[in-house]
Every structure is written in C-alpha cells, then in structure tokens.
Amino acid sequence: VLTESGTIRLQPGERLNRDFILRFPVSGEMIGTSLKFSPAAKGKPGVFALTLLPPFGRGKATPRDVVFVLDRSGSMGGWKMVAARRAVGRMIDTLLEHDRFTVLAFDHTVERPPSAEKGLSEATDRARWRAMEWLGTIDARGGTEMGPALESAAQCLSAGGSGRERILVLVTDGQVAGEDAVIKALTKSAGSAIPRIYALGIDRAVNAGFLRRLADLGGGACDLVESEDRLDEAMDHIHCAIGAPALVQLQLEAVGGTLVADSLAPSRLPDLFVDRPVTIFGRFEGDVASLRLGIKGLDASGKPWTHQMVAREQPADTLRSLWGRSRVRELEDRYAAGNTGDPDALAGQIV
C-alpha cells in the first residue's frame, strides 16, 4: 500500500517473498532534459549525468526489418503465454507494407511460421494474417535455449540488406541460464551490425537485469508486464519503440572541458523516442567551475539539431556511483561477449 505521505506499507497477511514493481505517476513538469555534474577532485575526473527527453514528434517512417523472437518454453505457461502471443500479434498488426518481418518461437528448438521458412516476408495483409494464425497454435513447452534463437534472428536481419532499419523484438520471462553465453552468441552472429533490440519481459518476477542488458546492447529499450492488465499500457510503449525515432545520430561534446575518452555509459548512444527519456553518464576533465555540453543529432525531419546545456552541481558520491555502476555493467557485457581484444586489459578496467 502506498499511503498519501509516500510511505510504502505491507498489506496485512502479505510476505516479501518475491520481487515487486512499484509504479507511481510523475507530473510532466518533473521530467525533462537536464544535466547534472560533480566536479573533478583529488586527481579524479568529474562525472556528469545527461537526461534527454525529445520535445518533438516522431520521425518519418522508414522501411524496417523486424524479427520477433517469442519464448515458448515451459516457464511461459499459463497467462504469460497468452499475453506473449497477444503482444507479438499486436506488434505484427502495426507493421506497414514496406516493412518485412518474421517470427521465431523457441524452446529447445527454433521454429518459424510455415509461410516464412525462407526468411523475412513482406508485411502484406495476407502475410500478417498467416503469421498471427500460426501464433495461435503456439503453446508453452520444453526448455529455454535462447542463444540459438537470437543467433538466427541476428543472421536473418544481417542478410536483409542495407537501407533498412533492423529491429529485434524479444518477448520472454528471461528465465534463462548462461546469460553471458547468450550475449556472446548474439554479438558473434551480429558482428558490427547489432540490431536495435527491444525486450518485453512478461512475468511477476521477470529477469529484468538480463533483459535490460540486451536492450542496452542494441540501443533499444525494455518494458515489463507483470500482469495481463498491464499489457495494453506496455503495448503503447512498444508501438513507439519499434516506430521511427525522434532524434538519431546523437553526439556529445564538452564546452569548456574535455570528455574522457571511452567513458560514456552507454557507449553506444541510443536513438531518442517520444516520451522515453534516456540518461547518459560520462566523465570529463578540466578546471571549470561548471560543465556545459553540446548535443548534436538529426531530428524527425532529418535536419541537424543542436542544443547546449549548462550543468547543475550534484553530490559527487551519488553521480560517481551511478556512473560506475553503468560503466562496469557495460564493460562486463563486453567481457562476456568475448570480442574485446585483450581480456586482461578489460578485466583491469573493470577492477
């Protein structure tokens, strides 16, 4: 129970024997683009946190290649399987005719719709209807071997050609063993062309940490659905996430200081979508009383967009901890992927 004073209390008879998700409304005035920093001290670089919320509309729809990866393993039984089928079906229904798509359902094997065994299909009315008809036959069974499914999805998108946006949508409860091995398999298959990854976690105790790792790897996003009642709200977010971004090709530059090389977290700056704020952490050097950042990108119409922000000073311990946590998580993912060159040097950075 969340009381009027903001105190969280446990209902009589309930136990804290599982994870829980706390959601609460925040007024629009409280969320916006901001820049916070802690200055350099004792020979250590300063740290900043940049939160970006694009105040502009969606971009122009571009042709997309979308692979939906659906977890049908035994742990997805019951309401989770029903919600997962509904989610994938609704996403397929939003595709346009210049898009291409396929669906991969996995447990200990990977299956495709009979109508799309050769790869991506044009998103015609007939193709979408046949895919959704096949989805209706999918039920939970077997083990959870996610790696081969993500490998197949990455290979399918890599073979799709250039000039199209590549999107991988994963719908799962995330109950998978060997998370590092899954990330390694995906990065090996995708190479330098990792698709934008959108993860939808369906469970009351979803493995949110793993799904966010995947989403960050692909510069995408992660949403959680802990009940069927939450599905419709999450689907609105999904529609924005697999649509056209509002700001792309993001670049940062320090004004009056210097950004520390290879210190951004995430290092792959994400695209910005309507109503989806993102926070970027980094380090900077220079004897400056305050930090200013120049932000560049392309807006929804493809025109150059620039903005400059002046930072407000914040407690150093908080920002350094947030930056450190984000940075170490990304370095650990690089280590797990196994494509980092010198693993000993990377381990040294983590330490």
Side-chain angles (χ1 to χ4, degrees):
V1 180
L2 182 61
T3 67
E4 291 184 1
S5 63
T7 303
I8 303 171
R9 301 186 184 278
L10 197 62
Q11 286 274 29
E14 290 287 343
R15 297 180 181 179
L16 283 177
N17 59 356
R18 62 187 182 277
D19 293 346
F20 67 91
I21 300 172
L22 174 65
R23 290 190 172 89
F24 53 90
V26 180
S27 66
E29 293 77 13
M30 297 178 66
I31 300 179
T33 298
S34 65
L35 177 61
K36 302 174 182 179
F37 83 105
S38 64
K42 297 181 180 179
K44 294 182 179 181
V47 180
F48 69 85
L50 171 66
T51 298
L52 290 173
L53 180 66
F56 23 73
R58 292 181 178 86
K60 180 181 179 181
T62 57
R64 298 169 293 178
D65 286 345
V66 187
V67 176
F68 300 97
V69 180
L70 173 63
D71 184 353
R72 63 173 303 177
S73 62
S75 64
M76 289 287 291
W79 74 271
K80 291 193 288 183
M81 194 72 252
V82 175
R85 288 197 303 257
R86 277 186 59 200
V88 175
R90 286 186 58 179
M91 285 185 279
I92 291 174
D93 203 37
T94 65
L95 298 177
L96 305 175
E97 291 209 355
H98 62 231
D99 297 326
R100 300 186 301 193
F101 79 102
T102 193
V103 184
L104 305 180
F106 74 92
D107 47 6
H108 53 278
T109 61
V110 181
E111 296 183 7
R112 300 169 180 256
S115 59
E117 291 182 347
K118 295 183 179 180
L120 297 167
S121 301
E122 301 289 337
T124 61
D125 289 343
R126 177 178 174 81
R128 288 186 282 117
W129 180 83
R130 294 181 70 179
M132 288 189 283
E133 184 180 41
W134 177 76
L135 276 175
T137 68
I138 298 297
D139 209 348
R141 69 178 193 194
T144 309
E145 297 185 14
M146 186 182 295
L150 294 181
E151 285 185 75
S152 297
Q155 291 167 358
C156 187
L157 290 169
S158 296
S162 59
R164 305 178 69 90
E165 187 171 8
R166 296 186 294 268
I167 300 172
L168 191 161
V169 181
L170 172 64
V171 182
T172 178
D173 59 4
Q175 304 303 326
V176 58
E179 298 174 8
D180 288 354
V182 171
I183 291 177
K184 183 174 183 179
L186 173 60
T187 54
K188 182 178 180 181
S189 298
S192 60
I194 295 178
R196 179 149 55 91
I197 300 174
Y198 186 88
L200 179 64
I202 299 182
D203 200 353
R204 291 184 175 88
V206 71
N207 189 345
F210 172 59
L211 297 186
R212 289 196 175 100
R213 287 173 69 187
L214 286 174
D216 289 346
L217 180 69
C222 172
D223 257 318
L224 305 180
V225 175
E226 71 276 12
S227 68
E228 288 188 82
D229 295 337
R230 251 281 294 170
L231 185 61
D232 289 338
E233 181 182 348
M235 295 312 299
D236 291 338
H237 292 167
I238 291 172
H239 182 67
C240 292
I242 66 174
L247 185 66
V248 299
Q249 298 184 24
L250 205 62
Q251 298 179 45
L252 303 181
E253 61 180 20
V255 180
T258 304
L259 294 181
V260 175
D262 201 26
S263 72
L264 295 182
S267 58
R268 175 181 176 178
L269 298 184
D271 295 336
L272 266 64
F273 295 85
V274 174
D275 297 330
R276 277 192 174 272
V278 299
T279 299
I280 301 165
F281 298 96
R283 305 183 92 175
F284 68 96
E285 295 176 326
D287 185 17
V288 292
S290 63
L291 172 71
R292 286 181 296 158
L293 276 184
I295 311 163
K296 298 180 180 179
L298 298 180
D299 66 15
S301 62
K303 296 179 180 179
W305 178 88
T306 59
H307 189 63
Q308 190 173 116
M309 297 199 63
V310 177
R312 294 181 300 166
E313 188 170 347
Q314 296 289 309
D317 290 345
T318 301
L319 283 186
R320 285 177 183 154
S321 295
L322 291 171
W323 170 80
R325 180 180 300 179
S326 300
R327 180 65 178 157
V328 168
R329 185 178 66 175
E330 180 162 313
L331 291 173
E332 287 178 337
D333 287 346
R334 289 189 198 175
Y335 190 91
N339 58 354
T340 57
D342 185 354
D344 292 335
L346 187 56
Q349 291 184 52
I350 294 171
V351 172

